[in-house]
Amino acid sequence: MTATDRAVELTREAAKAADDKKASNIVALDVTSAMPLTDVFVIASASNERQVVAIADAIEESLHGLG
């Protein structure tokens, strides 16, 4: 089983929001078959804590806009 279309849409939006805030090494992992509570993990790197917070906030705002 693979991630749903909705999960893929949300993943793309999260990755775009992270990229807009200059995150690096952005990776999306489809964990649908291994994790019953989620479809995808998005993992990204940042150079400092302030940037991590900015990235997380941007992702949350972006996804909140999609419902």
Side-chain angles (χ1 to χ4, degrees), residues 15-50:
K16 182 183 179 309
D19 186 56
D20 288 347
K21 289 295 181 179
K22 307 298 186 221
S24 58
N25 303 318
I26 303 168
V27 177
L29 302 173
D30 183 345
V31 295
T32 307
S33 60
M35 304 283 292
L37 298 176
T38 190
D39 289 339
V40 179
F41 281 140
V42 176
I43 303 170
S45 299
S47 59
N48 59 60
E49 186 176 349
R50 176 180 271 178

